[in-house]
Amino acid sequence: MNDTPKYGFDTLQVHAGARPDPATGARQTPIYQTTAYVFRDADHAAALFNLQEVGYIYSRLTNPTVAVLAERIATLEGGVGGVCCSSGHAAQIMALFPLMGPGKNVVASTRLYGGTVTQFAQTIKRFGWSAKFVDFDDLDAVKAAIDDDTRAVFCEAIANPGGYITDLDAIAPIAAEAGLPLIVDNTSATPYLCRPIEHGATLVVHSTTKYLTGNGTVMGGAIVDSGQFDWSASDKFPSLSAPEPAYHGLKFHETFGSLAFTFHGIAIGLRDLGMTMNPQAAHYTLMGIETLSLRMERHVANAMQVAGWLEKHPKVAAVTYAGLPSSPYNDRVARICPKGAGGLFTFALKDGYDACVKFVDSVNLFSHVANLGDTRSLVIHSASTTHRQLTEEQQVAAGAAPNVVRVSIGIEDPADLIADLEQALAAV
Ligand SMILES: *Cc1c(COP(=O)(O)O)cnc(C)c1O
């Protein structure tokens, strides 16, 4: 799928996966608003259903607009293939689905998006799966948590709610040694700031809802496969290595090689779980992704300015932005996300929970919303919202303690952002 590796990132974010529409010459990727595709004849239809030929059958599985987006994201991540789906949370389930089974577990970082903590700690139990949460700075604890039933290791590159960068170079060898795929959620970093596959990630998942779309319009998710994992090296991944009864005994890894995970994601994952991205959403995300690098540069520059200003404010107890020299994770920026530590961070108010609530009620330019990665600057008090279902211990471990406010710094004039924070802090 990665057909244009010679171009740089800024070129690929505009062109990868797209070509003028073969039917009309349309330069922009059309929105193929169709559920089905006419078969040439009965033999063609049979070949498509047997996975002997690649083509379009029904938009629950594949759609030309969505396919352009999947190829674009896969190319930007340096993967061999990608699958788009309906949301970031869908992407996580789709990534785990071929690996897990009843009684199997995923070893996951404690520093994750709150919704992911809930999905992993509670909801996946309904499938008989479980998650073991570990501090990923404690490498011995990560090793110790891996057991015979572990099927994946999961973390975020730059962890939401911000300020933490996972040392992917230290985690990837631990997963590799145990014969396990490393799944990295790269939502907060985006492939412009961090390319997890270059650090040893097997799979990269995204909430395209955030920076990839970039303007808060549509939900979406993506899974990118590095193509580098040997699914047949052990008997741990029978969905990929053993005969698949739902396809006449076809073995995905043997048949599709490095594209096994991608084909499984479409042919089994989307077909049977149905967490499909619609072509309208793919269109909006394709529009957004064309300017990804430009936006990320501005998000980073603004976040540096705002975080530096907040750090000196007398009502602020601490700022977690990894881009600041004061951050314990600052030394990981150059290695893991060399173009910057993103636009997302938290800060703690000296006056605690009530001050945070007053603060989010006092901002004007910042919007108080449960989202991030928008061109607009956003703020949320995680402990009373996104991380509300977590225990206080989990909140603290996730970086969302009761006295902490999370900001997603947009691409507005930094002076205007600072002025708004200044008046809101004065009201506290
Ligand atoms: C938002 C988010 C998700 C979930 O994505 P949705 O598109 O909201 O389902 C997962 N991981 C991270 C890091 C996120 O920010």
Side-chain angles (χ1 to χ4, degrees):
M1 281 190 168
N2 195 344
D3 58 353
T4 45
K6 58 192 181 296
Y7 293 125
F9 191 97
D10 290 353
T11 305
L12 292 172
Q13 73 185 359
V14 177
H15 291 284
R19 44 199 72 79
D21 181 48
T24 61
R27 178 60 275 205
Q28 189 50 276
T29 300
I31 304 170
Y32 286 90
Q33 198 67 61
T34 182
T35 48
Y37 308 83
V38 178
F39 305 123
R40 287 196 303 272
D41 52 36
D43 285 345
H44 177 223
L48 290 173
F49 275 92
N50 271 345
L51 298 183
Q52 285 154 342
E53 193 176 317
V54 177
Y56 296 101
I57 299 176
Y58 186 60
S59 285
R60 176 161 21 86
L61 289 88
T62 45
N63 169 282
T65 314
V66 179
V68 171
L69 178 63
E71 188 171 337
R72 181 143 332 152
I73 297 172
T75 304
L76 294 178
E77 287 288 1
V80 295
V83 180
C84 287
C85 55
S86 53
S87 71
H89 269 3
Q92 292 164 195
I93 294 296
M94 294 259 308
L96 290 175
F97 181 67
L99 313 176
M100 303 283 276
K104 307 305 177 206
N105 68 71
V106 51
V107 169
S109 171
T110 46
R111 296 180 186 83
L112 297 178
Y113 175 67
T116 306
V117 176
T118 307
Q119 186 188 53
F120 282 11
Q122 309 294 339
T123 304
I124 64 171
K125 285 190 204 158
R126 303 293 182 98
F127 305 138
W129 310 349
S130 62
K132 296 183 178 186
F133 292 98
V134 191
D135 175 356
F136 270 39
D137 280 343
D138 185 345
L139 300 179
D140 289 333
V142 176
K143 281 180 209 158
I146 293 172
D147 64 27
D148 287 346
D149 287 324
T150 303
R151 290 295 178 270
V153 176
F154 188 100
C155 61
E156 294 177 11
I158 299 178
N160 184 339
Y164 176 78
I165 296 173
T166 305
D167 190 350
L168 300 176
D169 296 332
I171 296 295
I174 296 175
E177 182 113 329
L180 297 173
L182 171 63
I183 307 174
V184 177
D185 181 338
N186 202 29
T187 300
S188 305
T190 81
Y192 182 66
L193 299 181
C194 176
R195 308 226 314 161
I197 290 172
E198 291 173 1
H199 299 275
T202 309
L203 303 171
V204 177
V205 292
H206 274 283
S207 167
T208 61
T209 314
K210 314 291 172 50
Y211 290 107
L212 295 186
T213 303
N215 46 40
T217 47
V218 286
M219 304 295 300
I223 308 120
V224 174
D225 181 12
S226 65
Q228 282 159 18
F229 194 85
D230 182 357
W231 304 108
S232 306
S234 74
D235 57 5
K236 287 186 174 169
F237 305 104
S239 296
L240 295 157
S241 63
E244 170 57 54
Y247 276 105
H248 309 303
L250 173 137
K251 295 181 186 172
F252 276 88
H253 191 207
E254 192 181 278
T255 309
F256 300 111
S258 66
L259 282 167
F261 199 94
T262 302
F263 271 85
H264 191 279
I266 295 166
I268 304 281
L270 289 179
R271 188 193 66 173
D272 297 341
L273 299 176
M275 300 165 165
T276 306
M277 177 183 276
N278 67 73
Q280 284 281 347
H283 167 73
Y284 281 113
T285 304
L286 280 166
M287 294 301 93
I289 232 171
E290 293 188 350
T291 58
L292 179 66
S293 64
L294 309 177
R295 286 183 288 107
M296 292 316 291
E297 269 172 20
R298 185 61 173 263
H299 282 296
V300 167
N302 280 2
M304 279 297 284
Q305 274 204 46
V306 173
W309 179 83
L310 277 169
E311 198 174 35
K312 295 193 204 87
H313 196 282
K315 290 186 181 174
V316 173
V319 179
T320 63
Y321 190 54
L324 293 174
S326 59
S327 164
Y329 301 106
N330 189 245
D331 64 332
R332 292 183 185 173
V333 176
R335 191 159 46 85
I336 306 290
C337 45
K339 293 205 180 81
L344 196 66
F345 63 89
T346 65
F347 58 95
L349 290 183
K350 287 179 182 160
D351 293 332
Y353 187 99
D354 293 337
C356 292
V357 172
K358 179 75 185 154
F359 174 80
V360 295
D361 279 342
S362 304
V363 290
N364 297 320
L365 185 56
F366 279 73
S367 305
H368 182 200
V369 299
N371 191 21
L372 62 98
D374 196 324
T375 46
R376 278 154 280 272
S377 289
L378 314 174
V379 62
I380 196 158
H381 181 220
S382 302
S384 61
T385 55
T386 52
H387 290 59
R388 196 184 179 88
Q389 310 305 332
L390 275 56
T391 63
E392 189 167 332
E393 195 188 0
Q394 284 176 317
Q395 288 175 349
V396 172
N403 66 333
V404 161
V405 174
R406 184 192 78 192
V407 283
S408 171
I409 301 297
I411 61 172
E412 304 100 324
D413 283 347
D416 294 338
L417 299 177
I418 289 172
D420 190 37
L421 295 173
E422 187 159 34
Q423 67 77 26
L425 284 168
V428 166

